[in-house]
Amino acid sequence: MIKKLLVFFMMVAILATIPPNGGFANSASIKLGNEVLQNHFMQLLQGKRIGLLTNQTGVDSTGASTIDLVRQIPSVSLHALFAPAYGLDGKTTANQEKASYTHPALHIPVYSLNAKTVAPTKAMFSNIDVFLVDLQDSGSRTSPYLASLYIYLQAARDAGKPVIVLDRPNPLGGITMEGPILEDPYQSAIGIDNLPLAHGMTIGELAQFFNRKIGANLIVIPMEGYTRSKQFTDTGLAWVPSTPDLPDLQAVISSMAAGLTDGFAMTQEDHYAWIGGPGIDSQQYSNLLNFAGLPGVVFVPETHGTSGGVRLNIFDARLFNPAKTGLYAIAYAHSLAHFTLPKSNGAPTQFDLALGTNKIAALLEKNASPEQIVKSYAPQLASFAELRKKYLIYSDTPYVVMAPVYNKPIVAAPAKLFRPYQQPKPATPSNSGSTTKPGTNTPATKPPATTVPQTKPAGKVAYLTFDDGPSPVTTKILDILKKDNIKATFFVVGRNVKGREKILQRALAEGHTIGGHTYSHNYQTIYKSPSAFLNDLELGNKMIKDAIGVEPTVFRYPGGSTNTVSLKYQDTAQYSKAKPVMSAIKAEMNQKGYHFIDWNVSNGDASTNHYTAASALQQVKQQVKKKQQVVILMHDATPKMPTVEALPAVIEFLKQQGYTFQTLSADVPTVAHVK
């Protein structure tokens, strides 16, 4: 009976084997984070010096290297490479690794973590503005790349540098969560945080999970079209061997099941396809494992020399639970051979480090069954499943990328280059200019005051800005910008958003920046007091966030920060010409960490609707002159069609003058209004 059952399972395995890796092709069902970055969010890197943590796995769906991708971006400089375990090529052994060296072809520094350099130094980050991460891990908590990610997140936080993680699939999918949760005393290079063996998270989601303790300035560029249930074979991507012992997907999938033998009297062979040890009867071992009903796998008895064991034939990778299978494998092996369990001698054993706890060894010593072992950590696993929800990006429906995923730190961190705007809680005006939660006397939480490093862009740069939209003409503006591959900044009025959400979503997806421009744009309302302005701006920003899923990091004052019209509407009981409301508003906004940007060139459409495309172009030509950086004020509204008509000629003129085009962000110095 046993033999017949085994033959049946073998036939199933033959008919439903894991597909081969194949070569690179443009048949991927998803877009990787590095491709989404290239297609939609290049403005995050423009004008920046980049440090890149990557290795041979950092490629797009065609096999092109992320190193080359970054080097080819105009106005971006790749200043340093950072390598995880096994080096840039994924083949460098520990005794071959160097702390740092100069890349022979790129002539830039390459930094590696090794026994002598266990953590990056601030000096390594001194010449970079943005730290980029593109790594493919194995889906296991024991992946050494997770420790690298964790350590570099800490180092980037300490150096005050933003981190952008380019997301990649979890090879085992996002559904299976299994194994004991790592306890703090057992943190190591093969277990850096409180995760189960199978965590079911992508590297971008893991970065967010890690950041709950770290507080780095983190941005994740998600994958397009990815779902939680997708395994690597569903993506259409070719597997690039992540470490020397994981040459193919078969090894990746079985490694967690057969790889829990470190420090235990068992071995694995054939890249985790076989597991066994001395004193084990192969047939008995396979019988125990097969009748345990472990899904997706058949265990074939196979003796290697003096060691009995089994070969894992995984016939359904979707059903296969690698962590649970591994725990059953060591529990049954111990019941058959009664191995001496490794004992701690003042420091955790390698076996305990792999499991993340000493409780499994203690249970084995008491001859606990596999069922008892799995039951022992079930409450902690359930708690983890609840905890991880807030850090997940993907669901059961294909992910549509509308914006980068900004991870807001919950612990103190240094000043940030890309500081995500933090939405204050709803507030009501008060005579003091402060705000309170409705129904209480408790001040509402506001974004912390932050000193944003200001980096002056190199060369001649033009920032095209459009105020007051979205409007019926916004799509025409977007069409022109798309044709010329130009990115711009739209300062949006909140009351204009409803019914035009898709227009804003398109603008963001095409790489443009969305800034706030208050909700009402009503001078009489907003320029009464600082609290009145703040409440109106926050309401407008909320409308923007509801539409595109991300809050603005910059805003523009209606009329500009040096306007005098505010004098007409300010609360005369508190403010005067000698003590104007604008000064109080700007002081309040600066204290709360909001960042505004004016302009130094206008096309003349602000003061009248009676103008022509020719006059708009002429205004730009006259005001640009020899300025190195120009922020051009234009308006996005139905009466402003001459602005749209003049836009192609404005772009062509600026190109002829040698300007490149960028979008505004919080790290661009405020440009004063020209009086």
Side-chain angles (χ1 to χ4, degrees), residues 320-388:
F320 181 60
N321 188 320
K324 187 175 182 180
T325 300
L327 290 166
Y328 269 67
I330 59 176
Y332 282 140
H334 183 259
S335 71
L336 291 174
H338 304 289
F339 297 129
T340 300
L341 290 162
K343 298 288 185 182
S344 173
N345 189 19
T349 66
Q350 192 66 20
F351 182 71
D352 290 343
L353 291 176
L355 274 297
T357 176
N358 63 354
K359 292 182 174 63
I360 305 302
L363 287 168
L364 289 171
E365 199 161 33
K366 295 176 182 177
N367 296 313
S369 68
E371 293 85 358
Q372 289 172 317
I373 291 174
V374 171
K375 187 177 180 181
S376 71
Y377 58 75
Q380 291 78 21
L381 189 61
S383 296
F384 168 78
E386 190 63 30
L387 173 64
R388 83 163 193 164

Side-chain angles (χ1 to χ4, degrees), residues 103-437:
H103 194 284
L106 304 181
H107 307 294
I108 60 176
V110 180
Y111 301 112
S112 300
L113 299 186
N114 54 29
K116 292 182 180 179
T117 308
V118 295
T121 64
K122 282 192 176 182
M124 295 178 183
F125 286 82
S126 61
N127 291 322
I128 67 172
D129 301 315
V130 179
F131 189 68
L132 198 63
V133 179
D134 194 10
L135 288 172
Q136 175 67 62
D137 82 304
S138 64
S140 170
R141 182 188 67 208
T142 60
S143 168
Y145 297 162
L146 301 191
S148 294
L149 173 63
Y150 194 100
I151 292 168
Y152 278 112
L153 273 172
Q154 288 179 317
R157 174 205 62 196
D158 294 343
K161 308 295 183 179
V163 180
I164 301 177
V165 175
L166 308 179
D167 212 2
R168 292 183 165 274
N170 184 320
L172 307 179
I175 304 299
T176 300
M177 288 181 292
E178 188 60 77
I181 306 297
L182 179 137
E183 299 165 358
D184 287 345
Y186 299 93
Q187 287 185 330
S188 70
I190 57 170
I192 197 67
D193 204 347
N194 310 114
L195 299 168
L197 284 164
H199 48 72
M201 301 169 80
T202 67
I203 197 163
E205 292 172 332
L206 283 166
Q208 295 201 115
F209 183 80
F210 293 163
N211 209 38
R212 80 197 189 283
K213 292 183 177 181
I214 297 170
N217 182 22
L218 173 65
I219 301 171
V220 177
I221 305 298
M223 294 174 282
E224 180 87 41
Y226 187 69
T227 67
R228 298 222 68 77
S229 60
K230 278 186 186 288
Q231 295 192 323
F232 205 89
T233 51
D234 301 320
T235 65
L237 298 167
W239 175 256
V240 177
S242 57
T243 58
D245 58 336
L246 299 177
D248 51 41
L249 279 176
Q250 176 72 48
V252 174
I253 294 168
S254 60
S255 62
M256 198 184 303
L260 298 181
T261 58
D262 251 357
F264 197 55
M266 294 179 69
T267 57
Q268 63 80 22
E269 296 179 14
D270 299 338
H271 297 298
Y272 304 103
W274 180 91
I275 184 173
I280 295 176
D281 181 286
S282 298
Q283 189 63 58
Q284 284 184 306
Y285 193 31
S286 69
N287 290 347
L288 285 169
L289 287 166
N290 283 321
F291 280 101
L294 294 164
V297 61
V298 169
F299 301 91
V300 180
E302 189 174 301
T303 301
H304 286 197
T306 59
S307 295
V310 293
R311 181 167 291 277
L312 284 68
N313 276 355
I314 301 168
F315 63 87
D316 193 333
R318 291 182 180 279
L319 297 177
F320 181 60
N321 188 320
K324 187 175 182 180
T325 300
L327 290 166
Y328 269 67
I330 59 176
Y332 282 140
H334 183 259
S335 71
L336 291 174
H338 304 289
F339 297 129
T340 300
L341 290 162
K343 298 288 185 182
S344 173
N345 189 19
T349 66
Q350 192 66 20
F351 182 71
D352 290 343
L353 291 176
L355 274 297
T357 176
N358 63 354
K359 292 182 174 63
I360 305 302
L363 287 168
L364 289 171
E365 199 161 33
K366 295 176 182 177
N367 296 313
S369 68
E371 293 85 358
Q372 289 172 317
I373 291 174
V374 171
K375 187 177 180 181
S376 71
Y377 58 75
Q380 291 78 21
L381 189 61
S383 296
F384 168 78
E386 190 63 30
L387 173 64
R388 83 163 193 164
K389 286 180 181 178
K390 67 178 73 173
Y391 305 107
L392 300 182
I393 298 172
Y394 310 96
S395 64
D396 295 332
T397 57
Y399 190 84
V400 177
V401 179
M402 300 307 302
V405 179
Y406 291 85
N407 185 264
K408 299 178 181 180
I410 59 172
V411 297
K416 306 166 187 68
L417 189 62
F418 294 116
R419 178 180 60 82
Y421 174 91
Q422 298 185 18
Q423 176 69 27
K425 296 178 181 178
T428 55
S430 70
N431 290 335
S432 64
S434 64
T435 56
T436 59
K437 297 179 184 178

